Amino acid sequence: MYHMIKPHTSGKFRGLRVSPDMFEKQIIYLANNGWHFFTMSELIIQKDNLPNKSVAITFDDGYEDNYTNAFEILKKYNAKATIYLVVDRFDREWSSKRKAKNSSGELKNESKLTNEQIKQMLQSNLIEIGSHTLTHDNLPTLDTESKKQEIQESKKAIEDEFDIECNSFCYPFGLYDNQDIQLVQQSGYSSATTTKAGISDITKANLFELDRITVSGKDNFLAFVLKLRHGKRGVRK
């Protein structure tokens, strides 16, 4: 689980920013150590016949650096990835939806992917676009109709705009309840990811509550390697 691939800043959300050099080092490690790259949809379709070392790289939210920085690295090593896109992502402050004190505007001011950039990435056949809802709202706090709008309308909007199937979903902030799981299933998605740290056995796990390995900008390279083995936080700077 990544968010941004860009140099660190002094802001509150430093952990969401993995430097391009570190990201390339991580991708090189995966490529040189026999890992096979899949989009989330591919991972689900092939879940009963996957190589032992199978990995799905995911990006949450839809930051522009996913195109300007990460995409070039992914192409260089023929690595696939899934971007969980917030449909209404421009000039929107969603940090406070989790905690009111997070309303600094730091993430709002980050440049977001344009639809044209997304279309260019889709043409590479390396990138899948999944849904991260319409507005990155806090799903458990919403009424049923609002939940449906966030989950269902985001799928439709992505499919209509990019002429693709949107099969993968990601819960904003990793926050969800049983009703959210049901709505995601009923809406026609094939999987949903959480922010729970861990490695899911995809042949046995609930496909609508999948764990992920959090890759933080605060981690050094050893922490990345340890997380690949254990799914949990290792050594930090």
Side-chain angles (χ1 to χ4, degrees):
M1 177 177 66
Y2 295 91
H3 287 78
M4 289 174 266
I5 305 301
K6 66 182 302 184
H8 293 159
T9 68
S10 58
K12 177 181 180 65
F13 297 100
R14 181 186 168 208
L16 300 185
R17 301 177 177 91
V18 175
S19 73
D21 287 345
M22 178 61 80
F23 180 66
E24 183 165 16
K25 188 175 181 180
Q26 292 166 352
I27 298 300
I28 290 172
Y29 178 86
L30 292 170
N32 289 346
N33 284 275
W35 287 85
H36 301 264
F37 299 97
F38 294 89
T39 65
M40 281 303 304
S41 289
E42 291 174 341
L43 203 70
I44 300 306
I45 292 170
Q46 302 178 47
K47 67 183 180 67
D48 295 318
N49 296 288
L50 291 170
N52 287 332
K53 288 186 172 181
S54 297
V55 61
I57 296 168
T58 63
F59 296 92
D60 288 8
D61 301 340
Y63 297 101
E64 187 177 37
D65 57 72
N66 294 179
Y67 173 80
T68 56
N69 294 331
F71 185 45
E72 290 304 312
I73 295 169
L74 293 170
K75 287 194 295 184
K76 187 175 180 180
Y77 301 98
N78 200 35
K80 296 183 176 183
T82 297
I83 297 175
Y84 292 114
L85 189 69
V86 178
V87 174
D88 185 3
R89 58 195 174 278
F90 302 103
D91 298 318
R92 179 171 290 280
E93 173 55 74
W94 57 65
S95 305
S96 58
K97 293 289 186 176
R98 183 175 186 179
K99 295 180 181 178
K101 67 179 182 179
N102 288 346
S103 58
S104 64
E106 182 180 342
L107 297 184
K108 175 183 177 181
N109 294 330
E110 288 286 349
S111 297
K112 308 301 192 302
L113 286 166
T114 67
N115 287 350
E116 183 56 39
Q117 289 169 332
I118 293 168
K119 289 174 183 177
Q120 289 183 41
M121 290 193 289
L122 286 169
Q123 290 174 358
S124 71
N125 292 320
L126 294 175
I127 302 297
E128 174 191 15
I129 299 299
S131 170
H132 205 30
T133 70
L134 280 178
T135 68
H136 204 293
D137 212 328
N138 188 333
L139 290 176
T141 68
L142 303 180
D143 60 44
T144 299
E145 287 307 310
S146 297
K147 288 172 183 278
K148 287 181 179 179
Q149 183 177 22
E150 290 285 342
I151 294 168
Q152 295 174 356
E153 291 304 312
S154 59
K155 186 179 194 296
K156 184 178 186 302
I158 288 170
E159 292 179 338
D160 289 348
E161 176 64 33
F162 303 112
D163 193 24
I164 58 173
E165 289 187 13
C166 180
N167 298 312
S168 304
F169 185 83
C170 178
Y171 303 104
F173 310 111
L175 300 176
Y176 61 97
D177 55 28
N178 288 333
Q179 185 183 35
D180 299 323
I181 296 173
Q182 293 174 359
L183 289 172
V184 171
Q185 289 178 293
Q186 293 167 4
S187 299
Y189 296 99
S190 61
S191 69
T193 52
T194 71
T195 58
K196 293 178 183 176
I199 301 172
S200 291
D201 180 346
I202 205 164
T203 63
K204 300 176 181 177
N206 182 339
L207 297 182
F208 295 90
E209 288 186 276
L210 292 173
D211 298 343
R212 287 188 290 174
I213 298 169
T214 303
V215 184
S216 171
K218 298 178 183 179
D219 293 337
N220 60 24
F221 185 69
L222 177 58
F224 173 78
V225 175
L226 290 174
K227 286 180 176 182
L228 276 179
R229 296 175 184 171
H230 308 294
K232 299 178 181 179
R233 185 176 296 280
V235 179
R236 296 178 63 188
K237 287 184 179 179

